[in-house]
Amino acid sequence: MSTENEGTAAQTPPAAPSAPPVPVAASAPEPAPGAPAQAPAAPQDAPPQAPAVPPAPAAAPGADQTQQLPPTPAGPPAYEQAPAPAQPYADAPTQVQTPGQPPAPGQVPAAYGAEGWPPPPPAVPAYGGHGGHGGGWGVPLTTDGTPPPKRKGKGGMVAGILVAALLAGGVGGGVGYWAAERSNNGSGSTTISAGNTPKDLKRDAGSVAGLAASALPSVVTIEASAGDGEGGTGTGFVYDQEGHILTNNHVVASAANGGKLSATFSDGKKYDAEVVGRAQGYDVAVLKLKNPPSGLKPLALGDSDKVAVGDPTIAIGAPFGLSNTVTTGIVSAKNRPVASGDGSGGKNSYMSALQTDASINPGNSGGPLLDGRGAVIGINSAIQSAGNGGFGGGQAGSIGLGFAIPINQAKNVAQSLIKTGKPVYPVISVSVDLQAKVNGAKISEQGATANELVDPNGPAGKAGLKPGDVITEFGGRSVDSGPTLISLIWTYRPGDTVKMTYLREGKPNTVDITLGSRVGDK
């Protein structure tokens, strides 16, 4: 599965971790030509009529008999641009309509509860409508007292809801007037006071609000800038009391060589930072605050192997630069093979990811994905996008498919980076043919010598694998492609022994393979 980091399309995945792969063009499914974009259907029926209102009793002798005109409904302005009003209310003389009779030119409708009132409100444009098409909230009526023509489209459903709200308000006003008139007999006030109003709103420490309040002081917004002025915004979180910050490699890559890095806490305090180490293949990086404050509180790390589908999740980050944003969801899937690109034209990153429907957008990258106890179970890293466009200068946005690096894997990488400054990768020392149309990971047969395609002294060579073999299972998990194989291998450590199944001329074979190691990124 190819995804996006920071809203940038993924590049072609590389081969297996050892020998250089045969390049392959990444592809993504495209919509059928001419297929229209789907939008909510607008209601076709006319707005509902106002419900019946109890008639007001005759006024007491001497009371003012003038009908009361309803106030002009004042709605919020339309999004984007709204057209100029056709004509202000004040441009037409005010004349009261006789109840039961159609309004004459220049007349305004009668009070709430009279026939034909309230009129339906103007149509509401869909969120983010462009170019000022159609009427907006609060657009005035025309001079004859009727609303402007209603546009068909996505605003219809919202307009229908607004009609219901205004009708409900009209009924409430009518009933209130009727009740007030009945109370004029001196029997007492119509005011009803609420009793036992709670003085303090207490939030449980285990609620989303409680967990967010506890975690936010340990989450930072990272600003990275390169020497040429390029850069971006991402997220990280406190890893230990020494001032190490855990984040994504693609968040800091632009500033890794001569650029500037800073980390801003939720209280607004900003600190300069430097890169301790980066693992491009894992998409993990460790920073260190140059002058860390005392009393840093590292976030508790959970166990991503024990996460279950359906568990609650909380994502914290700075989507589109909006620092300290909290979203919620669930664990949608586990062990999701994901290849993601950083948009720099470099190599891809691979992960056997946790999938979540918590809203993740560009800028969330590097932030923590918490479980229902507030422990970190993953690092938010990538999203699947429906296509280009969206909020924020054409960058991709969340469609409910977010992916996080499991924290168990990220913790192993972080420990290596803090200790040596370099990542260590487990390998089987083969080159995978990414162009092969097979259900599995096929070892390349062309492009290099046999000893380069399968290192005879490497883990796979020692286990008897040859060019042309197709690996179908690794560690008891199904393998359907080269990227899936790489993401599964990288969930282990060098020296681990894993069962692997492969096909040779259609016949399955199962072997135990002890993983080798490779230091650094190629």
Side-chain angles (χ1 to χ4, degrees):
M1 173 183 294
S2 175
T3 60
E4 299 177 1
N5 285 328
E6 297 301 311
T8 306
Q11 303 299 316
T12 304
S18 57
V22 178
V24 59
S27 62
E30 298 183 355
Q38 296 299 318
Q44 299 299 316
D45 296 332
Q49 296 297 320
V53 178
D64 188 357
Q65 300 295 324
T66 304
Q67 285 188 301
Q68 302 296 316
L69 293 178
T72 302
Y79 289 107
E80 304 279 342
Q81 302 176 13
Q87 176 155 0
Y89 284 114
D91 287 356
T94 301
Q95 299 183 24
V96 179
Q97 171 194 349
T98 304
Q101 298 296 327
Q107 288 183 331
V108 297
Y112 282 91
E115 182 177 351
W117 182 261
V124 180
Y127 178 82
H130 295 281
H133 301 302
W137 292 348
V139 175
L141 301 177
T142 55
T143 54
D144 61 356
T146 60
K150 177 180 177 182
R151 286 181 56 87
K152 296 183 179 180
K154 291 187 282 187
M157 184 177 297
V158 183
I161 297 173
L162 186 58
V163 169
L166 289 175
L167 288 176
V171 173
V175 173
Y177 173 81
W178 174 69
E181 286 297 310
R182 288 176 59 91
S183 67
N184 285 340
N185 55 12
S187 59
S189 172
T190 59
T191 302
I192 301 175
S193 61
N196 301 324
T197 302
K199 296 181 179 180
D200 296 319
L201 177 59
K202 295 183 179 180
R203 295 176 176 86
D204 184 41
S207 66
V208 172
L211 295 174
S214 176
L216 277 169
S218 301
V219 179
V220 297
T221 298
I222 298 173
E223 295 181 9
S225 59
D228 57 3
E230 294 185 1
T233 302
T235 309
F237 59 93
V238 177
Y239 181 72
D240 58 26
Q241 292 182 334
E242 284 70 41
H244 288 110
I245 303 295
L246 196 55
T247 185
N248 281 137
N249 172 65
H250 74 263
V251 169
V252 303
S254 63
N257 299 312
K260 293 183 179 180
L261 287 168
S262 65
T264 304
F265 285 81
S266 60
D267 61 2
K269 294 181 179 179
K270 188 174 184 178
Y271 299 86
D272 291 334
E274 59 186 354
V275 176
V276 172
R278 302 187 297 130
Q280 182 273 328
Y282 292 118
D283 196 17
V284 173
V286 176
L287 309 182
K288 191 174 190 301
L289 302 178
K290 292 184 177 180
N291 296 296
S294 59
L296 286 176
K297 181 182 177 183
L299 288 182
L301 305 183
D303 187 347
S304 53
D305 290 339
K306 295 182 179 179
V307 169
V309 174
D311 281 351
T313 59
I314 302 173
I316 303 179
F320 297 105
L322 302 174
S323 300
N324 310 314
T325 295
V326 177
T327 55
T328 62
I330 62 169
V331 175
S332 304
K334 295 177 59 178
N335 305 317
R336 187 73 78 190
V338 173
S340 57
D342 62 4
S344 65
K347 299 176 181 178
N348 285 345
S349 302
Y350 297 89
M351 66 182 104
S352 185
L354 295 175
Q355 179 182 327
T356 181
D357 64 347
S359 183
I360 297 175
N361 288 286
N364 274 105
S365 291
L369 183 69
L370 309 178
D371 63 13
R373 304 167 301 160
V376 182
I377 56 174
I379 301 177
N380 301 318
S381 301
I383 60 173
Q384 179 70 35
S385 174
N388 14 352
F391 181 82
Q395 288 181 309
S398 174
I399 57 171
L401 293 174
F403 304 98
I405 302 169
I407 195 60
N408 289 8
Q409 177 181 357
K411 179 172 61 176
N412 293 336
V413 177
Q415 291 172 348
S416 175
L417 294 176
I418 293 173
K419 184 177 181 180
T420 68
K422 296 181 180 180
V424 179
Y425 297 93
V427 296
I428 63 173
S429 299
V430 301
S431 179
V432 177
D433 182 1
L434 298 177
Q435 294 181 339
K437 305 296 183 181
V438 296
N439 186 21
K442 183 179 180 180
I443 300 177
S444 300
E445 297 180 281
Q446 302 177 20
T449 65
N451 286 351
E452 291 174 322
L453 298 175
V454 179
D455 183 355
N457 297 316
K462 291 179 179 179
L465 275 75
K466 299 179 179 180
D469 291 341
V470 179
I471 300 172
T472 57
E473 287 187 14
F474 192 86
R477 297 178 186 173
S478 177
V479 175
D480 58 5
S481 66
T484 299
L485 175 63
I486 298 172
S487 66
L488 289 176
I489 292 174
W490 286 356
T491 62
Y492 293 88
R493 293 184 177 186
D496 289 347
T497 298
V498 186
K499 283 191 177 295
M500 184 172 69
T501 299
Y502 66 94
L503 300 177
R504 179 176 295 169
E505 297 179 353
K507 181 181 178 180
N509 301 276
T510 300
V511 295
D512 289 332
I513 186 169
T514 301
L515 302 178
S517 66
R518 186 193 81 210
V519 178
D521 287 306
K522 288 186 177 181

